[in-house]
Amino acid sequence: MGLLSKKDTQLITDPLADNNPITIQVLGICSALAITAELKASLVMGVAVLFVLGVGNVVISLMRNIIPSKIRIIVQLIVVATLVIIVDQVLKAYQYELSKTLAVFVGLIITNCIIMGRFEAFALGNGPWKSFLDGIGNALGYAVILLIVGFFRELLGSGTLFGYPVLGDAIEKTGVYSIGYENNGFMLMPPMALIVVGLIIWVQRSRNKALIED
């Protein structure tokens, strides 16, 4: 028997597509709109949520039988706040400039609907292993959307990926700029992130008609 059963595998794969936390559950969409103008910021935010949700789900699962129901939200906030502080300190130590860009949004991970939702809906009712897989799956589903949105916004808005020019030099007019292409500054504005997310939602529902609400 493999390490992961079919149900265990679904805990990871379902949030990547047909039960994605952003495009299907419409959770955690604020950061998808705010920090995806750069692919690097999208990646770091995805990794941060992966750590917080994966570890947080396990901690809440281990404590589920001793947490009084009346204060469970407070306990969950303390757990996620502790993990977010760890992420924030690591970013300041190793990626200081990026930490300043993400400062407000890293703090908002504490109230991210995806994290609190998985604590409530899954970790409080399941064992540590399944809770870990659920956390990893939902965090990956979140990160995938951030990376897709960040890829198109940075590429079309700045002509770069991870800060490196890939379309040519806009000043020297090399690459695609030599044939008249210009960066679309609108792609760097938050409304464009919403449009890209909307296009992803449209593609998902076009491929799977069962996702279309009546």
Side-chain angles (χ1 to χ4, degrees):
M1 182 176 180
L3 179 63
L4 299 178
S5 66
K6 183 177 179 180
K7 289 184 178 180
D8 289 343
T9 303
Q10 287 179 334
L11 291 175
I12 297 177
T13 58
D14 282 356
L16 294 175
D18 293 344
N19 195 28
N20 188 275
I22 292 181
T23 59
I24 304 301
Q25 301 175 40
V26 197
L27 299 174
I29 201 167
C30 295
S31 53
L33 303 182
I35 55 91
T36 51
E38 297 179 4
L39 192 54
K40 185 176 182 180
S42 302
L43 177 62
V44 172
M45 179 62 79
V47 172
V49 171
L50 183 69
F51 170 76
V52 172
L53 187 50
V55 176
N57 254 17
V58 172
V59 172
I60 294 299
S61 177
L62 290 171
M63 298 172 61
R64 69 188 187 282
N65 294 323
I66 62 173
I67 301 176
S69 178
K70 292 183 179 180
I71 64 168
R72 71 184 190 282
I73 301 298
I74 296 175
V75 173
Q76 292 170 16
L77 286 173
I78 292 173
V79 170
V80 72
T82 301
L83 295 172
V84 167
I85 289 172
I86 293 173
V87 170
D88 185 52
Q89 293 303 306
V90 170
L91 280 176
K92 286 180 178 177
Y94 296 102
Q95 291 285 341
Y96 183 68
E97 291 300 320
L98 185 60
S99 74
K100 292 192 294 184
T101 302
L102 295 176
V104 174
F105 303 104
V106 169
L108 288 177
I109 293 176
I110 296 173
T111 55
N112 190 306
C113 299
I114 299 172
I115 295 175
M116 297 302 293
R118 298 325 297 168
F119 285 178
E120 277 284 302
F122 200 91
L124 284 175
N126 292 274
W129 176 240
K130 288 186 179 296
S131 296
F132 174 73
L133 296 178
D134 177 79
I136 294 299
N138 279 275
L140 288 175
Y142 169 84
V144 165
I145 299 302
L146 258 63
L147 290 172
I148 293 174
V149 176
F151 174 86
F152 285 107
R153 290 186 69 193
E154 183 177 353
L155 179 65
L156 300 179
S158 302
T160 62
L161 290 176
F162 289 108
Y164 296 99
V166 295
L167 298 182
D169 191 315
I171 298 177
E172 298 293 333
K173 299 299 181 183
T174 61
V176 297
Y177 299 104
S178 64
I179 59 175
Y181 177 81
E182 296 291 338
N183 292 328
N184 185 351
F186 185 54
M187 291 295 294
L188 301 178
M189 300 176 67
M192 199 61 215
L194 185 61
I195 293 174
V196 176
V197 171
L199 290 172
I200 296 172
I201 293 173
W202 173 69
V203 171
Q204 277 190 309
R205 282 160 172 73
S206 297
R207 293 178 63 251
N208 187 352
K209 303 298 183 181
L211 297 176
I212 301 177
E213 297 88 354
D214 293 331

